[in-house]
Amino acid sequence: MFAQQLINALSLGSVYALFALGFTLIFGVLGVINLAHGAVFMVGAYAALQAVVLAELPIWAALVIAFIISGLVGLAIDILVLSPLRKRDAPHLIPMIATIGVAIMLNSAAQGLFGADTLRFPPGVVPDGSIEAGGLHITAVEIGIIALTIVIMVVLLLGLRRTSIGKALRAVAESPRAAALLGIDVEGLFRKTSFVAAALGGVAGVLISLYANAVYPLMGQPMLHKGIAVIILGGMGDIRGALIGGLFLGFAEVFAVAYIGSTMRDAVAFGLLFLILLVRPTGLFGKANERKA
Amino acid sequence: MRFMRSAIVALAVTTGAVSSQAAEIKVGVAAALSGLAAQYGAAIRNGFELAADEINAAGGINGDTIKLVVEDEQGRKEEAINVFKKLIFQDKVLVVFGPTLSNSASAAHPIAQASRTPVFGTSNTADGITAVGNYVFRNSVTEADVLPDTLKKIVEKEGVKKVGVLYGNDDVFTKSSYDNFVKALKDQGIAVTTTETFAKGDVDFKAQLTKIKATEPDAIVLSALLAEGGPILVQARQLGINLPIIGGNGINSPKIFELAKGASDNLWVGSPWSVSSDTDVNRNFITAYERKFGSKPDQFAAQAFDALNIVAAALKTVELSGDIAKDRIALRDALPDVTWTGATGPFKFKQAQDRSGKPAGYDADQKPIVSVTKDGVYEIVN
Amino acid sequence: MLELTSISKSFGGLKVLDDVNLTVPQGSIFGLIGPNGAGKTTVFNLITGLIPPTSGTITFDGADLAGLPPHRITRLGIARTFQNIRIFKEMSLLENVLVGRHRHIDYGVISMLFSLPDYRAQEAAARTRAYELLDWVGLGGKAHEIADTLSYGEQRRLEIARALATEPHLLLLDEPVAGMNPAEKTELMKAVRAINERGYTVFLIEHDMRFVMGLCEQVAVLNFGRIITCDKPEAVRNNPDVIEAYLGRDDDANTRERA
Amino acid sequence: MDAFLLWFDEFWAVYSNLVLTLGINALLALSIWLTLACGVLALANAAFMGIGAYAGALATLNYDSPFALSIGVAMVAPSLVALAIGLPVLRLGGVYLAMATLGFGEVVRVVILNTESITGGALGLNGIPQYTQWWHVLLALVIVIFVLARLHRSKTGRAFEAIKVDETAASLMGVDLRANKLLAFVLGAAIAGLAGALNAHLTFFIGPQEYGFDRGVEILTMAILGGVTSIIGPIIGAVFLTLLPELLRGLADFRLIVNGFILVAVVLFLPNGLWDPARFRRWFGSGR
């Protein structure tokens, strides 16, 4: 059982990390707690579902479509909502509230368009069933999620380290004002980040709905709660933190179920979160002195 | 005012034909059309609309037509209260159906009781719903009524001796049925190997399922709604758990074949309604529903459909005075004696009791059908 | 009255202060000078309890300040201003100074809720004192304006009035004339002297040599975290080490970034 | 006059619950405003409301306590919890504090779910007597506004504001940061508990789902949307956010979309919230 639980924890942790990536990216660069990330995640899932069901596209094409559509939604949110708020230097809670409004709009629009029913991807878009080895079971989707999480993470980390856009991003994350003085196109970077973060959210939406076999308008809300826990655990705005935090939460939940009792799962997960914050007030990877809010 | 009303009534009586076209019986429906419970609310609204259409097409009730006033209560108790007050005091409906969730019902039903308006739950399975008072009715069968039969059947057919239990512990619907499962399991001397829980919105159930699998039960008892029930079936099969799964009302829906395609076999469900129940009424209901809404109905739709028919049957025995307060009381008095054969089979009410054991509202008294899924259909177990 | 004994402070591996010993005598105007980055503000931050020293002790009127939170140190009678002005911008001048009166106002919840005589008397007294302090720094006429609207020099003076409102025995001024024009500087010099004459001990950090030399009775020089000398102004001025410390790098007081 | 009375009777029959909910939500908005006014971004108010609601309802149900006593219990219980978690939690800064307090809310929810014998778990508490009358809510609101307004004008209010603007400077003015933040946190918890008890004794039923993340965010939204510069703002915000869905009821399926849109529009076009004295001064040209 232990080995199977280890696999379960790894895939659940990857699911959380995948969701948290875009979430933490927005916070790290734009300094906004984007409560519409769950809705963008849902948009990605529906976009891919439509692509698969209506246009009968293969799943990789659907992923690309989800990537683009969610990315565009993210871009629209930035242009229409976040950017005007940035221009007038609104305190950081204000954009958060605006994103609540955006989330309500997207969620109810999805319900209007597609109905409230739980839908799923047709069977066979990804290999069904599970691979069995020595009594252990793992599915193709799980392998895909774990692999993709690691790939995205590595790409992002290398990208941030090595490329000029990465360096610019880090400068912006440190201080947007100073970055602007250095001649960095801060607004442009914010746009790109919004696109990429939302696009990643959309891809996460597709993969997680393949994993859970469920697509419904409010599917992003429960993930949002977990995502918040993940990025606090990892240290807000930190890419590695999203991975570590996600895995941490996944392992905490799975092993709480396995060895403590499933009724205590959330209590254990959030209790740990609470404790970690008390010991390390800015999360596992958080900087000692956070950017002044 | 009083004079005016009786004058109108008198006029209506004398000009019979005209009045029968003009008169409308307003019926309130409070359903969760947005929020997390929206998929149940939508099915419920469909069930009512279908029933209203059919009743009106067949000449209405003694010539009067039924007019549905549907309001969204969002699955939240404050909204349910607001909607109930609007329906009862502003729209002056004769009877209120709903709300969708038991939580909201606990908050909203007392308002109907206090204003002497019959209230009829079609999806509220929690204990104590009908303890509020004698104006509270429901045709949603509680698991307490159907589970013993389901368990008996599966013990008889599959020789189940010990089960693992999995339920949603943060939801009234699933928690209530879990409580009833526990009681029925105990009564029938079936051992429980382990009890695991999940929460609404979870995407991963493998940790719990792995643990259950390790305890080697003969079957899994599952109390879940569709959104989680579907994924649970799939993930169980992915983990190589091919045991029978005993479900509650919450997953008694043809949608399970879609949500758990390829993994939906061997799910045992007991309920008065089954999509495979081959009575004329049910067949007609399913056909009409599919024609109107383009999808197969579920239990929530069936119960809503029957509920309006039950009320219509009661109304046929009542002479409406036009005085809403009197008519509400008259309807209440007529309802308990209604018997009806609907999509959910033969139906009658039984009196429920409040906490102190005094008679209160009315619960459904129905026989469950036990069915098991195989190749995308529910097969009735005899 | 204030004594720093072998104070050291490191941030990470970087030693910012190294074995600093200082004694500020009661009733004096004491100056601490040094080039940029010498660690002057760190000295103030240590005294006021914002950060703890790595080693060494600070005593004030014989009391050890170790481990005391800032507000307790303030209550012992130390007040300060900041190099980068930190007034409460959204509040009026009067309110700013009244915050400084915080610990001197003492009424019960009941008095506060129902505006009982005790409450009214204390609030009135606090206001009277606040107006008086604003007058001292020449801002009496602007008591009800929002602090954000003040000029730079005025904001510095408001900060001094606010600090005085805590009724300190020792007033710490962190670069009080930074960014001021000569006229403002002269005015502030007068104000500081007047404050000192009222019995307050003043300890100031400054970059502007002329200001310090004209005002202080004793001047300490900090360079690279160490005190090179502590003496009368003339002696300091002629100290070769000091000259080197200052000439070693240009006097950058004017090119420094303001914020 | 008779016509008015008749109209009022009907209005009250339909909307009494809505009106009382307005008052209760205003209390909640004020409870978070108090901590925000002290620069403390704590989002535990939904949890405190829940603790108050359960404590009050349990006192009424299990001990037949008089309403006043139940209310008292409902205010004291969350205050004690706030006192206990306040010291460690208030060390956290900004967003981390916000998130930790949201996490605390989850812990409270899980505890309620797992203490079934006392709290009824997921099934909640049923059949709570409907004690809350309109004047209870009005009285509570008047008292809370009075206390907060007085507090705001006192030395404590000035200390709160100073902390909000600049913690360090405030502490160097002799303001005890921990004590003042804790005071705001505990008082806020008491007010939230009061609102919880009033709500519980109005709606017959309480369940653990009502006091989670969504409610926490909703309370915050009411305060921010209304504007936090004065005590009026949160009240306006609560009224606005509670009424909006009801006013939009006629839009049926589009209701929530419009609701979300209005929320975004208010944030975009009214920077300091609905109630912004500075804007009013600009608009009406007076002021200094």
Side-chain angles (χ1 to χ4, degrees), chain B residues 34 71-72 74 77-79 81-83 85 89-90 103 106-107 110 169-170 172 175-176 179 355, chain D residues 10 13-18 113 116 122-123 126 199 203-206 209-210 218 246 249 255-256:
Chain B
S34 58
E71 289 289 352
D72 178 14
Q74 298 183 324
K77 68 164 188 180
E78 269 89 5
E79 283 294 305
I81 293 174
N82 290 344
V83 162
K85 292 203 154 205
F89 299 110
Q90 187 175 316
N103 279 353
S106 301
N169 74 334
D170 63 342
V172 185
K175 174 66 171 63
S176 281
D179 290 343
R355 288 212 179 107
Chain D
E10 183 150 315
V14 178
Y15 294 110
S16 61
N17 186 70
L18 186 62
L113 281 176
E116 205 187 326
L123 305 182
N126 239 314
N199 174 267
T203 58
F204 306 99
F205 168 84
I206 52 174
Q209 303 307 327
E210 296 169 38
E218 184 186 312
E246 294 307 316
R249 195 168 271 290
R255 166 161 96 136
L256 284 179

Short mmCIF file of all heavy atoms in Angstrom, two decimals, chain B residues 34 71-72 74 77-79 81-83 85 89-90 103 106-107 110 169-170 172 175-176 179 355, chain D residues 10 13-18 113 116 122-123 126 199 203-206 209-210 218 246 249 255-256:
data_model
loop_
_atom_site.label_atom_id
_atom_site.label_comp_id
_atom_site.label_asym_id
_atom_site.label_seq_id
_atom_site.Cartn_x
_atom_site.Cartn_y
_atom_site.Cartn_z
N SER B 34 -27.99 28.34 -9.80
CA SER B 34 -26.58 28.70 -9.94
C SER B 34 -25.86 28.22 -8.69
O SER B 34 -26.49 27.81 -7.74
CB SER B 34 -26.42 30.21 -10.14
OG SER B 34 -26.99 30.91 -9.06
N GLU B 71 -37.73 30.39 -8.98
CA GLU B 71 -36.72 31.34 -8.50
C GLU B 71 -35.43 30.62 -8.18
O GLU B 71 -35.44 29.50 -7.66
CB GLU B 71 -37.22 32.08 -7.24
CG GLU B 71 -38.34 33.06 -7.51
CD GLU B 71 -37.91 34.31 -8.26
OE1 GLU B 71 -36.70 34.51 -8.46
OE2 GLU B 71 -38.81 35.08 -8.66
N ASP B 72 -34.34 31.29 -8.45
CA ASP B 72 -33.02 30.73 -8.15
C ASP B 72 -32.65 31.02 -6.70
O ASP B 72 -32.64 32.16 -6.28
CB ASP B 72 -31.99 31.39 -9.08
CG ASP B 72 -30.58 30.92 -8.81
OD1 ASP B 72 -30.42 29.90 -8.10
OD2 ASP B 72 -29.64 31.56 -9.32
N GLN B 74 -29.73 29.67 -5.43
CA GLN B 74 -28.26 29.58 -5.43
C GLN B 74 -27.68 28.52 -4.51
O GLN B 74 -26.48 28.49 -4.29
CB GLN B 74 -27.63 30.93 -5.05
CG GLN B 74 -27.96 32.04 -6.02
CD GLN B 74 -27.26 33.32 -5.65
OE1 GLN B 74 -27.09 33.65 -4.49
NE2 GLN B 74 -26.84 34.05 -6.66
N LYS B 77 -28.56 29.34 2.04
CA LYS B 77 -29.73 29.40 2.91
C LYS B 77 -30.37 30.79 2.94
O LYS B 77 -31.58 30.90 2.95
CB LYS B 77 -29.38 28.92 4.32
CG LYS B 77 -28.45 29.83 5.08
CD LYS B 77 -28.43 29.53 6.57
CE LYS B 77 -27.63 30.61 7.27
NZ LYS B 77 -27.53 30.44 8.70
N GLU B 78 -29.54 31.85 2.93
CA GLU B 78 -30.13 33.19 2.97
C GLU B 78 -30.99 33.43 1.73
O GLU B 78 -32.08 33.98 1.81
CB GLU B 78 -29.05 34.27 3.02
CG GLU B 78 -28.63 34.68 4.41
CD GLU B 78 -27.52 33.82 4.92
OE1 GLU B 78 -27.03 32.98 4.13
OE2 GLU B 78 -27.15 33.95 6.11
N GLU B 79 -30.44 32.99 0.59
CA GLU B 79 -31.18 33.16 -0.65
C GLU B 79 -32.47 32.34 -0.62
O GLU B 79 -33.51 32.78 -1.11
CB GLU B 79 -30.32 32.74 -1.84
CG GLU B 79 -29.26 33.74 -2.22
CD GLU B 79 -29.88 35.03 -2.74
OE1 GLU B 79 -30.67 34.96 -3.68
OE2 GLU B 79 -29.59 36.10 -2.17
N ILE B 81 -34.26 31.60 1.92
CA ILE B 81 -35.23 32.30 2.75
C ILE B 81 -35.84 33.47 1.97
O ILE B 81 -37.06 33.64 1.93
CB ILE B 81 -34.56 32.82 4.05
CG1 ILE B 81 -34.16 31.63 4.92
CG2 ILE B 81 -35.49 33.75 4.80
CD1 ILE B 81 -33.38 32.03 6.14
N ASN B 82 -34.98 34.24 1.32
CA ASN B 82 -35.48 35.38 0.55
C ASN B 82 -36.47 34.92 -0.52
O ASN B 82 -37.53 35.52 -0.72
CB ASN B 82 -34.33 36.13 -0.12
CG ASN B 82 -33.47 36.87 0.88
OD1 ASN B 82 -33.89 37.07 2.02
ND2 ASN B 82 -32.27 37.24 0.49
N VAL B 83 -36.10 33.85 -1.21
CA VAL B 83 -36.94 33.35 -2.29
C VAL B 83 -38.28 32.83 -1.73
O VAL B 83 -39.35 33.10 -2.29
CB VAL B 83 -36.20 32.24 -3.06
CG1 VAL B 83 -37.16 31.42 -3.88
CG2 VAL B 83 -35.12 32.85 -3.95
N LYS B 85 -39.79 33.81 0.94
CA LYS B 85 -40.62 34.96 1.34
C LYS B 85 -41.23 35.63 0.12
O LYS B 85 -42.39 36.02 0.14
CB LYS B 85 -39.77 35.95 2.13
CG LYS B 85 -39.35 35.40 3.47
CD LYS B 85 -39.03 36.49 4.44
CE LYS B 85 -39.23 35.98 5.85
NZ LYS B 85 -39.51 37.01 6.80
N PHE B 89 -45.20 35.56 0.04
CA PHE B 89 -45.88 36.81 0.38
C PHE B 89 -46.10 37.73 -0.81
O PHE B 89 -47.01 38.52 -0.82
CB PHE B 89 -45.11 37.56 1.47
CG PHE B 89 -45.01 36.77 2.74
CD1 PHE B 89 -43.80 36.24 3.15
CD2 PHE B 89 -46.14 36.54 3.52
CE1 PHE B 89 -43.70 35.50 4.31
CE2 PHE B 89 -46.05 35.81 4.69
CZ PHE B 89 -44.83 35.28 5.09
N GLN B 90 -45.21 37.66 -1.79
CA GLN B 90 -45.35 38.58 -2.91
C GLN B 90 -46.07 37.92 -4.09
O GLN B 90 -47.07 38.42 -4.58
CB GLN B 90 -43.99 39.09 -3.35
CG GLN B 90 -44.06 40.17 -4.42
CD GLN B 90 -42.68 40.71 -4.72
OE1 GLN B 90 -41.88 40.98 -3.83
NE2 GLN B 90 -42.38 40.86 -6.00
N ASN B 103 -29.81 21.73 3.61
CA ASN B 103 -29.42 22.86 4.45
C ASN B 103 -30.36 24.03 4.25
O ASN B 103 -30.83 24.65 5.21
CB ASN B 103 -28.03 23.36 4.04
CG ASN B 103 -26.95 22.52 4.65
OD1 ASN B 103 -27.23 21.65 5.47
ND2 ASN B 103 -25.72 22.76 4.24
N SER B 106 -33.77 23.40 5.68
CA SER B 106 -33.87 23.60 7.12
C SER B 106 -34.09 25.07 7.46
O SER B 106 -34.74 25.40 8.44
CB SER B 106 -32.59 23.13 7.82
OG SER B 106 -32.37 21.78 7.55
N ALA B 107 -33.53 25.95 6.66
CA ALA B 107 -33.66 27.37 6.93
C ALA B 107 -34.96 27.94 6.37
O ALA B 107 -35.56 28.84 6.97
CB ALA B 107 -32.47 28.12 6.32
N PRO B 110 -39.27 26.49 7.74
CA PRO B 110 -40.02 27.08 8.85
C PRO B 110 -40.84 28.31 8.44
O PRO B 110 -41.87 28.61 9.05
CB PRO B 110 -38.93 27.46 9.86
CG PRO B 110 -37.82 26.52 9.58
CD PRO B 110 -37.86 26.30 8.09
N ASN B 169 -17.93 13.89 3.61
CA ASN B 169 -18.32 14.24 4.98
C ASN B 169 -18.62 15.72 5.16
O ASN B 169 -18.84 16.18 6.25
CB ASN B 169 -17.26 13.79 5.99
CG ASN B 169 -16.03 14.66 5.95
OD1 ASN B 169 -15.73 15.28 4.93
ND2 ASN B 169 -15.32 14.73 7.05
N ASP B 170 -18.60 16.47 4.08
CA ASP B 170 -18.87 17.90 4.24
C ASP B 170 -20.15 18.31 3.53
O ASP B 170 -20.37 19.47 3.24
CB ASP B 170 -17.69 18.74 3.74
CG ASP B 170 -17.44 18.56 2.26
OD1 ASP B 170 -17.94 17.55 1.70
OD2 ASP B 170 -16.77 19.40 1.65
N VAL B 172 -24.46 17.62 3.32
CA VAL B 172 -25.58 17.06 4.07
C VAL B 172 -26.13 15.81 3.40
O VAL B 172 -26.43 14.81 4.05
CB VAL B 172 -26.72 18.08 4.18
CG1 VAL B 172 -27.83 17.54 5.04
CG2 VAL B 172 -26.20 19.36 4.74
N LYS B 175 -23.63 12.93 3.72
CA LYS B 175 -23.42 12.58 5.13
C LYS B 175 -24.67 11.89 5.68
O LYS B 175 -24.57 10.89 6.41
CB LYS B 175 -23.09 13.85 5.92
CG LYS B 175 -22.99 13.66 7.41
CD LYS B 175 -21.80 12.77 7.77
CE LYS B 175 -21.54 12.74 9.27
NZ LYS B 175 -22.62 12.18 10.07
N SER B 176 -25.84 12.41 5.33
CA SER B 176 -27.08 11.77 5.79
C SER B 176 -27.15 10.35 5.29
O SER B 176 -27.50 9.44 6.04
CB SER B 176 -28.29 12.51 5.25
OG SER B 176 -28.53 13.64 5.97
N ASP B 179 -24.91 8.14 7.26
CA ASP B 179 -25.47 7.77 8.56
C ASP B 179 -26.44 6.61 8.44
O ASP B 179 -26.46 5.69 9.26
CB ASP B 179 -26.18 8.97 9.20
CG ASP B 179 -25.19 10.04 9.64
OD1 ASP B 179 -23.99 9.73 9.75
OD2 ASP B 179 -25.62 11.19 9.86
N ARG B 355 -39.13 16.13 16.95
CA ARG B 355 -38.15 15.61 17.92
C ARG B 355 -38.81 15.01 19.14
O ARG B 355 -38.32 14.04 19.71
CB ARG B 355 -37.22 16.74 18.37
CG ARG B 355 -36.28 17.14 17.27
CD ARG B 355 -34.95 17.62 17.84
NE ARG B 355 -34.09 17.97 16.70
CZ ARG B 355 -33.78 19.20 16.36
NH1 ARG B 355 -34.18 20.20 17.09
NH2 ARG B 355 -33.03 19.44 15.31
N GLU D 10 -46.78 44.36 3.61
CA GLU D 10 -46.44 43.45 2.53
C GLU D 10 -44.94 43.45 2.27
O GLU D 10 -44.32 42.41 2.17
CB GLU D 10 -47.20 43.87 1.27
CG GLU D 10 -46.95 42.91 0.13
CD GLU D 10 -48.16 42.86 -0.79
OE1 GLU D 10 -49.29 42.77 -0.30
OE2 GLU D 10 -47.94 42.95 -1.99
N ALA D 13 -43.21 41.58 4.99
CA ALA D 13 -43.40 40.14 4.90
C ALA D 13 -42.43 39.53 3.89
O ALA D 13 -41.86 38.47 4.11
CB ALA D 13 -44.84 39.83 4.48
N VAL D 14 -42.22 40.24 2.78
CA VAL D 14 -41.36 39.69 1.73
C VAL D 14 -39.89 39.93 2.05
O VAL D 14 -39.04 39.07 1.85
CB VAL D 14 -41.70 40.31 0.36
CG1 VAL D 14 -40.78 39.76 -0.71
CG2 VAL D 14 -43.14 40.02 0.02
N TYR D 15 -39.59 41.13 2.56
CA TYR D 15 -38.19 41.53 2.61
C TYR D 15 -37.58 41.61 4.00
O TYR D 15 -36.44 42.04 4.13
CB TYR D 15 -38.01 42.88 1.89
CG TYR D 15 -38.28 42.77 0.41
CD1 TYR D 15 -39.40 43.34 -0.18
CD2 TYR D 15 -37.40 42.05 -0.39
CE1 TYR D 15 -39.64 43.20 -1.53
CE2 TYR D 15 -37.63 41.91 -1.75
CZ TYR D 15 -38.75 42.49 -2.32
OH TYR D 15 -38.97 42.35 -3.65
N SER D 16 -38.32 41.21 5.03
CA SER D 16 -37.76 41.35 6.38
C SER D 16 -36.42 40.66 6.49
O SER D 16 -35.46 41.20 7.03
CB SER D 16 -38.74 40.79 7.40
OG SER D 16 -38.95 39.42 7.16
N ASN D 17 -36.35 39.44 5.93
CA ASN D 17 -35.11 38.71 6.06
C ASN D 17 -33.97 39.43 5.34
O ASN D 17 -32.85 39.51 5.85
CB ASN D 17 -35.28 37.31 5.48
CG ASN D 17 -34.06 36.46 5.71
OD1 ASN D 17 -33.79 36.08 6.84
ND2 ASN D 17 -33.32 36.19 4.66
N LEU D 18 -34.29 39.98 4.20
CA LEU D 18 -33.27 40.69 3.43
C LEU D 18 -32.77 41.90 4.21
O LEU D 18 -31.57 42.16 4.30
CB LEU D 18 -33.86 41.12 2.09
CG LEU D 18 -32.89 41.75 1.11
CD1 LEU D 18 -31.79 40.78 0.74
CD2 LEU D 18 -33.63 42.21 -0.14
N LEU D 113 -16.79 20.02 11.31
CA LEU D 113 -17.20 18.78 10.62
C LEU D 113 -16.90 17.55 11.46
O LEU D 113 -17.63 16.56 11.42
CB LEU D 113 -16.48 18.66 9.28
CG LEU D 113 -17.02 19.49 8.13
CD1 LEU D 113 -16.13 19.34 6.90
CD2 LEU D 113 -18.44 19.08 7.80
N GLU D 116 -18.99 16.01 15.44
CA GLU D 116 -20.38 15.81 15.09
C GLU D 116 -21.30 15.77 16.30
O GLU D 116 -22.42 16.27 16.25
CB GLU D 116 -20.49 14.51 14.30
CG GLU D 116 -21.67 14.48 13.40
CD GLU D 116 -21.82 13.11 12.77
OE1 GLU D 116 -20.80 12.47 12.52
OE2 GLU D 116 -22.97 12.69 12.59
N ALA D 122 -21.54 17.86 9.26
CA ALA D 122 -22.01 18.42 7.99
C ALA D 122 -23.50 18.73 8.03
O ALA D 122 -23.98 19.58 7.28
CB ALA D 122 -21.71 17.44 6.85
N LEU D 123 -24.23 18.05 8.89
CA LEU D 123 -25.68 18.25 8.92
C LEU D 123 -26.05 19.57 9.57
O LEU D 123 -27.19 20.03 9.45
CB LEU D 123 -26.36 17.11 9.68
CG LEU D 123 -26.04 15.70 9.16
CD1 LEU D 123 -26.81 14.66 9.94
CD2 LEU D 123 -26.38 15.60 7.68
N ASN D 126 -29.99 22.35 13.50
CA ASN D 126 -31.33 22.55 12.99
C ASN D 126 -32.27 23.09 14.05
O ASN D 126 -32.05 22.84 15.22
CB ASN D 126 -31.86 21.19 12.56
CG ASN D 126 -32.19 21.23 11.12
OD1 ASN D 126 -32.83 22.18 10.68
ND2 ASN D 126 -31.74 20.23 10.39
N ASN D 199 -27.48 36.03 12.99
CA ASN D 199 -27.82 35.28 11.78
C ASN D 199 -28.37 33.88 12.13
O ASN D 199 -29.38 33.44 11.59
CB ASN D 199 -26.58 35.17 10.89
CG ASN D 199 -26.82 34.29 9.69
OD1 ASN D 199 -26.54 33.10 9.73
ND2 ASN D 199 -27.35 34.85 8.62
N THR D 203 -32.19 32.35 10.95
CA THR D 203 -32.38 31.45 9.81
C THR D 203 -32.64 30.00 10.19
O THR D 203 -32.55 29.12 9.35
CB THR D 203 -31.15 31.50 8.88
OG1 THR D 203 -30.01 31.12 9.64
CG2 THR D 203 -30.92 32.87 8.31
N PHE D 204 -32.94 29.73 11.43
CA PHE D 204 -33.32 28.40 11.90
C PHE D 204 -32.21 27.36 11.81
O PHE D 204 -32.24 26.34 12.46
CB PHE D 204 -34.53 27.82 11.11
CG PHE D 204 -35.71 28.71 11.08
CD1 PHE D 204 -35.96 29.52 9.99
CD2 PHE D 204 -36.57 28.76 12.17
CE1 PHE D 204 -37.07 30.35 9.96
CE2 PHE D 204 -37.68 29.58 12.15
CZ PHE D 204 -37.93 30.39 11.05
N PHE D 205 -31.26 27.61 10.95
CA PHE D 205 -30.30 26.56 10.63
C PHE D 205 -28.92 27.15 10.42
O PHE D 205 -28.78 28.23 9.85
CB PHE D 205 -30.74 25.85 9.34
CG PHE D 205 -29.69 24.96 8.76
CD1 PHE D 205 -29.55 23.67 9.25
CD2 PHE D 205 -28.82 25.42 7.80
CE1 PHE D 205 -28.55 22.85 8.75
CE2 PHE D 205 -27.82 24.60 7.29
CZ PHE D 205 -27.70 23.31 7.77
N ILE D 206 -27.88 26.46 10.89
CA ILE D 206 -26.52 26.83 10.49
C ILE D 206 -25.75 25.57 10.12
O ILE D 206 -26.00 24.50 10.66
CB ILE D 206 -25.75 27.59 11.59
CG1 ILE D 206 -25.78 26.82 12.91
CG2 ILE D 206 -26.30 28.99 11.78
CD1 ILE D 206 -24.92 27.46 14.00
N GLN D 209 -20.65 24.87 6.08
CA GLN D 209 -20.26 25.40 4.76
C GLN D 209 -20.41 26.92 4.69
O GLN D 209 -19.89 27.55 3.78
CB GLN D 209 -21.12 24.80 3.65
CG GLN D 209 -21.08 23.31 3.58
CD GLN D 209 -19.66 22.77 3.50
OE1 GLN D 209 -18.80 23.40 2.93
NE2 GLN D 209 -19.42 21.63 4.12
N GLU D 210 -21.17 27.48 5.63
CA GLU D 210 -21.49 28.90 5.50
C GLU D 210 -20.34 29.82 5.90
O GLU D 210 -20.39 31.01 5.64
CB GLU D 210 -22.69 29.24 6.39
CG GLU D 210 -23.94 28.53 5.99
CD GLU D 210 -25.00 28.69 7.06
OE1 GLU D 210 -25.08 29.77 7.65
OE2 GLU D 210 -25.71 27.71 7.32
N GLU D 218 -16.14 37.35 0.82
CA GLU D 218 -17.30 38.23 0.67
C GLU D 218 -17.27 39.36 1.70
O GLU D 218 -17.53 40.52 1.38
CB GLU D 218 -18.58 37.40 0.83
CG GLU D 218 -19.86 38.19 0.60
CD GLU D 218 -21.09 37.36 0.92
OE1 GLU D 218 -21.16 36.21 0.46
OE2 GLU D 218 -21.96 37.84 1.66
N GLU D 246 -30.28 40.80 -5.41
CA GLU D 246 -31.75 40.87 -5.33
C GLU D 246 -32.29 41.82 -6.40
O GLU D 246 -33.29 41.56 -7.04
CB GLU D 246 -32.19 41.34 -3.94
CG GLU D 246 -31.87 40.36 -2.84
CD GLU D 246 -32.41 38.96 -3.13
OE1 GLU D 246 -33.57 38.85 -3.57
OE2 GLU D 246 -31.65 37.99 -2.95
N ARG D 249 -32.41 40.28 -9.76
CA ARG D 249 -33.15 39.03 -9.85
C ARG D 249 -33.90 38.92 -11.18
O ARG D 249 -34.02 37.84 -11.75
CB ARG D 249 -34.14 38.92 -8.68
CG ARG D 249 -34.69 37.54 -8.47
CD ARG D 249 -35.41 37.42 -7.15
NE ARG D 249 -34.54 37.04 -6.06
CZ ARG D 249 -34.00 35.83 -5.94
NH1 ARG D 249 -34.20 34.92 -6.85
NH2 ARG D 249 -33.22 35.54 -4.93
N ARG D 255 -27.97 37.19 -14.33
CA ARG D 255 -27.83 37.92 -13.10
C ARG D 255 -26.41 37.94 -12.56
O ARG D 255 -25.85 39.00 -12.28
CB ARG D 255 -28.78 37.27 -12.08
CG ARG D 255 -28.57 37.63 -10.69
CD ARG D 255 -29.80 37.31 -9.91
NE ARG D 255 -29.72 36.02 -9.29
CZ ARG D 255 -30.11 35.81 -8.04
NH1 ARG D 255 -30.61 36.80 -7.35
NH2 ARG D 255 -30.01 34.64 -7.50
N LEU D 256 -25.81 36.78 -12.46
CA LEU D 256 -24.48 36.73 -11.85
C LEU D 256 -23.42 37.36 -12.75
O LEU D 256 -22.44 37.91 -12.27
CB LEU D 256 -24.11 35.30 -11.51
CG LEU D 256 -24.80 34.76 -10.26
CD1 LEU D 256 -24.40 33.33 -9.99
CD2 LEU D 256 -24.47 35.62 -9.05
#
